[in-house]
Amino acid sequence: MPDLKKLRVGIVDLVSRGPTRALYARVMYANLASIMPQVVGVWCEAEGHEVVFTCYTGFEDLEAELAENVDLVFIGAFSEAALLAYALSNLFRSRGAVTVLGGPHARCYPEDAAKYFDYVLGFTDRAILREVLADAAPHRPLGLQLAARTQPTTLPGVRERWKFIEPTLRKAPLIKMVPMIGSLGCPYTCSFCIDATVDYQPLDTHQIRDDLRFLLAKLERPMVGWHDPNFGVRFDEIMTTIEEAVPAGRVDFLAESSLALLSEPHLQRLQKNGFKAILPGIESWYSMGGKSKTGGNKGLEKVHQVSDHVNTILRYIPYVQANFVLGLDDDTGEEPFELTKKFVDLTPGAFPAYSLLSAFGQAAPLNLDLQRDGRVLPTPFHFLDNNKATNVRPKNYTWNALYDNIIGLRRHSFSWRAIGRRLSANHVPTARYLNFVRAVSSEGFGRIRHDSTVRRLLDRDASVRQFFEGESQSLPVFYTDSVRKDLGHWWDALPEGSLRHDPNAYLKAHEAAQVPAATSPAS
Ligand code: B12
Ligand code: SF4
């Protein structure tokens, strides 16, 4: 076999969707770095290529940090950073590089991303990466969409990723989290979730054990953020792994886990092993009983049951973020919002995190139904971060009513009274500090301001109203102006037409894939 050309590979992990100076970003963004860009770095080097790696948190001068003369650039992006990714790809391509997009945006909107990248990757394993490295050629006007059939069975651990982790941690001034992962997929099937159809698969426990020991040797007091979609599905296995690797409580851990996995004996073991933050998904008061272990309980009964459970968690774990999805089709009227306020009052120590129902392209089975019903809007990707906008026309609410309820709930949750009660219910200084910063910065107060602006525009700006009602595809000036402001100088590199996308691309691709099967004589 002829020797492959040694490539100069740039890798950019986009944690921020543009330049920023926000306090929360300064404190936290480097801690939100993804695992896969680091994995890609390890795999590229193992294939003999030279790698330049950057985690962009919004503070760096990207142009100065990014390697000149790169042959191939991998960009990892969530949809909220898609426009920045498109602008970067445009710039790199104009300088002669070939570009590759991976990450949640590539998985959710491959058809759109292929207009701006040479390769768009879904599930990525080493074989897919080798294919890209071997080809490394421009594919224009439409990029190649490649994906492994399933999630990879192994990923390089912390020891191998350390050369990319270390410089990223240096950007975090206070809290420094090392990203680790113990499993992929999830056994639950929440219809709105990207992992609803991805089989659960634990990763190698020997590697996890080795990584934890490695970290203890590297850092005085390591803090590990588990990126498992649902941590602790094989609870005993992962706990035994941790217990065998490090003395109890020497490493701090954070994880997203469903309430169903957080029984009191499990909490005792989590506490003993140094778990400091847990992010359970409650999602709704009327559905998702399985993952919260509330069975058929609904409404107020579920609020009391879940609140008791979360208060119990808080006795063992100092930081709890309770995740909710607002605007689900099961919700009607003010009741779900009032129930969540009740939860906030009954559970003062938990930080309530609200996601607006968002249909991320082809992420979830539910999105096909929403697109079939014509309910998905072409809201620019920039706003699709679960918070700034929902791109789903509500089933049981007018826009005014939905926004009034959301604003009311946010005001209640981030009132000075609620903030004060939260701080006095938190017993650990870091938990108090983080909850305070989150409440008063872009997340709490910032979202109240943002939603209030949208609500005002719904009354006063006909173009906003028509866009939200699906009566007009013309982008309201409000959106264009916000993107221009957020992207800063990157706005100039934004490719023509990229503020728009086809919100029904998934349905169209799905239907096109059905046609041959339905018309074939063998079927
Ligand atoms: C862990 C997690 C987090 C963690 C860690 C985030 C991180 N940087 O990785 C935290 C809590 C910080 C987080 C934050 C957010 N998250 Co999150 N998160 C997840 C979660 C639960 C698991 C993702 C994961 O790591 N899986 C393990 C990896 C290995 O698998 P994978 O993601 O499927 O990736 C595969 C491929 O996509 C590909 N790949 C992935 N990245 C890359 C990069 C490159 C360069 C390449 C080539 C390939 C590649 O390879 C992988 C192996 O096949 C998913 C939901 C879920 N159940 O999957 C949501 C999810 C990814 N998050 C989501 C969102 C919206 C957010 C936030 C915007 C929420 C918010 N408002 O704060 C932020 C954004 C943070 C950021 N970095 O910008 C959405 C993304 C939708 C979208 N299209 O953008 C998801 C899908 C949840 C949802 N709502 O449906 N999140
Ligand atoms: S429990 Fe969490 S990760 Fe699993 S399917 Fe439901 S929302 Fe997705």
Side-chain angles (χ1 to χ4, degrees), residues 107 185-186 188-198 229-230 283 288 291 357-358 360 362-367:
R107 245 181 96 183
C186 179
Y188 294 100
T189 54
C190 310
S191 60
F192 58 83
C193 175
I194 197 166
D195 269 332
T197 53
V198 182
N230 193 357
E283 328 297 6
M288 262 67 84
K291 63 184 277 198
L357 174 63
S358 305
F360 288 107
Q362 60 182 55
L366 176 72
N367 298 359

Side-chain angles (χ1 to χ4, degrees), residues 414-491:
F414 302 108
S415 62
W416 285 112
R417 177 176 172 272
I419 294 172
R421 291 187 76 221
R422 198 167 299 130
L423 299 197
S424 36
N426 296 145
H427 302 297
V428 171
T430 321
R432 267 195 220 122
Y433 170 75
L434 203 56
N435 277 338
F436 182 74
V437 171
R438 290 182 74 178
V440 303
S441 72
S442 50
E443 192 167 354
F445 291 1
R447 284 175 195 163
I448 294 173
R449 271 195 306 275
H450 175 84
D451 289 350
S452 305
T453 305
V454 174
R455 177 63 186 84
R456 258 195 318 277
L457 290 171
L458 278 167
D459 275 345
R460 293 183 196 162
D461 185 332
S463 71
V464 171
R465 164 73 60 189
Q466 285 161 359
F467 184 84
F468 273 59
E469 298 297 356
E471 293 162 4
S472 161
Q473 302 267 315
S474 293
L475 273 189
V477 177
F478 164 69
Y479 278 143
T480 332
D481 283 352
S482 309
V483 176
R484 188 182 292 118
K485 181 168 159 270
D486 291 349
L487 284 187
H489 69 285
W490 295 108
W491 169 263

Side-chain angles (χ1 to χ4, degrees), residues 34 78 100-101 123-124 132 156 178 235 283 307 309 350 381 441 456 485:
S34 297
F78 285 61
V100 190
L101 182 74
F123 287 154
T124 305
V132 175
V178 177
F235 190 81
E283 328 297 6
S307 173
H309 193 164
F381 297 131
S441 72
R456 258 195 318 277
K485 181 168 159 270

Side-chain angles (χ1 to χ4, degrees), residues 92-123:
F92 280 116
R93 282 173 26 153
S94 71
R95 292 179 181 171
V98 167
T99 60
V100 190
L101 182 74
H105 186 67
R107 245 181 96 183
C108 296
Y109 294 99
E111 291 88 1
D112 195 76
K115 291 192 254 169
Y116 309 105
F117 280 82
D118 296 298
Y119 301 87
V120 178
L121 307 189
F123 287 154

